[in-house]
Amino acid sequence: MNNTPHIIQEGSVQYQIGNQKGNQIIYDFPKMLIYLEAKGKLLFGRNFKIYPEDEIILYKLCIYFIRDIETCKKLEIDPNKGILLSGPVGCGKTSLMKLLPFIVPHQNQHSLIPARNITFSFNKNGYKIIEDYGNNGFYCFDDLGVETTGRHFGKDCNVMGEILLSRYDLFLKRKLRTHATTNLNAQELENRYGIRVRSRMRELFNLVAFEKESIDKRV
């Protein structure tokens, strides 16, 4: 077990993102931002940077990932639910959901899977894919809502909708969280997946949203 998860080694550089007091780690948000920018450059290239206008979003996400229960309550974030990170194309949703688990190396890490890849797998392998992603594992479904309708042996299926219903059952039984990113707003998600799935999503996820005006950082 890692007894110093607040001290992270990247090559020859050591980042201390908090201080230990007894059995508790007191995290330091500015130091976390320094580490996240450095790790982002390693993962995504030297042009990666943390934008000041995104720091409010990052603060919420960091508080959630480090499981600061008191601050989560103040921010109306349920640490037992997953994260639904929404925002316009290119605002950095996928990068952040790849990056943030690195601040908590002692916790179980989610696998980030594009929703469209799951649908492609369904088209080839059928309903086993819904079982594979719906009944087990710790996932972040990336770009939820842009995937096509699944089709296997001539039968159409709203693959991600079915998986989300299964993940809801999994959440109730085993408290296993689910994360997702999406470009769609609440009404678009309801149009895409139906009222029943949208209702389950409210119970599955904390909504964390970028501003509609967030710039495309890929330009």
Side-chain angles (χ1 to χ4, degrees):
M1 183 178 173
N2 185 354
N3 293 320
T4 57
H6 60 296
I7 300 174
I8 303 173
Q9 193 78 28
E10 294 290 348
S12 61
V13 182
Q14 192 176 81
Y15 296 89
Q16 185 167 334
I17 61 174
N19 294 293
Q20 193 151 12
K21 292 188 178 179
N23 293 324
Q24 190 177 16
I25 295 170
I26 310 299
Y27 285 92
D28 184 317
F29 181 59
K31 289 180 180 176
M32 293 165 81
L33 289 182
I34 291 168
Y35 170 68
L36 287 169
E37 183 158 284
K39 185 64 177 179
K41 289 181 187 299
L42 290 173
L43 287 176
F44 310 120
R46 59 189 176 86
N47 291 328
F48 178 87
K49 71 174 185 174
I50 301 290
Y51 289 79
E53 59 267 31
D54 293 341
E55 287 184 14
I56 294 173
I57 291 278
L58 272 164
Y59 182 70
K60 290 180 181 179
L61 293 171
C62 284
I63 290 301
Y64 172 86
F65 274 91
I66 64 174
R67 302 192 67 73
D68 180 338
I69 306 300
E70 292 287 312
T71 310
C72 277
K73 281 182 185 174
K74 290 176 187 172
L75 296 173
E76 298 183 338
I77 294 171
D78 185 341
N80 297 312
K81 293 182 180 182
I83 292 288
L84 176 62
L85 186 58
S86 75
V89 172
C91 68
K93 301 180 297 295
T94 302
S95 297
L96 291 185
M97 292 306 284
K98 286 180 180 176
L99 186 57
L100 279 154
F102 287 99
I103 64 172
V104 282
H106 55 300
Q107 292 184 18
N108 289 336
Q109 308 294 306
H110 60 255
S111 300
L112 191 139
I113 312 287
R116 62 197 297 271
N117 289 8
I118 295 174
T119 300
F120 292 153
S121 295
F122 172 86
N123 294 346
K124 183 179 178 182
N125 299 307
Y127 288 86
K128 176 181 180 297
I129 297 302
I130 294 174
E131 292 178 20
D132 288 347
Y133 288 104
N135 297 340
N136 288 288
F138 185 18
Y139 297 110
C140 176
F141 300 123
D142 192 34
D143 267 347
L144 189 67
V146 301
E147 75 282 355
T148 57
T149 299
R151 190 170 180 83
H152 184 68
F153 282 115
K155 274 187 92 172
D156 286 349
C157 178
N158 191 329
V159 178
M160 291 308 305
E162 292 298 325
I163 288 173
L164 289 171
L165 290 174
S166 296
R167 298 295 300 185
Y168 174 74
D169 292 338
L170 192 62
F171 174 66
L172 293 182
K173 290 174 187 170
R174 291 170 47 194
K175 300 302 176 190
L176 200 57
R177 288 171 292 155
T178 304
H179 302 315
T181 73
T182 186
N183 302 331
L184 305 186
N185 61 34
Q187 188 57 55
E188 289 168 332
L189 285 168
E190 186 172 308
N191 293 343
R192 181 74 178 80
Y193 296 114
I195 294 173
R196 184 173 173 228
V197 173
R198 177 67 187 130
S199 173
R200 299 293 188 267
M201 288 177 73
R202 289 191 187 95
E203 297 180 61
L204 268 177
F205 297 119
N206 296 286
L207 176 63
V208 179
F210 281 88
E211 296 291 336
K212 291 178 184 175
E213 297 76 25
S214 292
I215 63 169
D216 189 337
K217 301 174 179 73
R218 299 177 301 183
V219 175

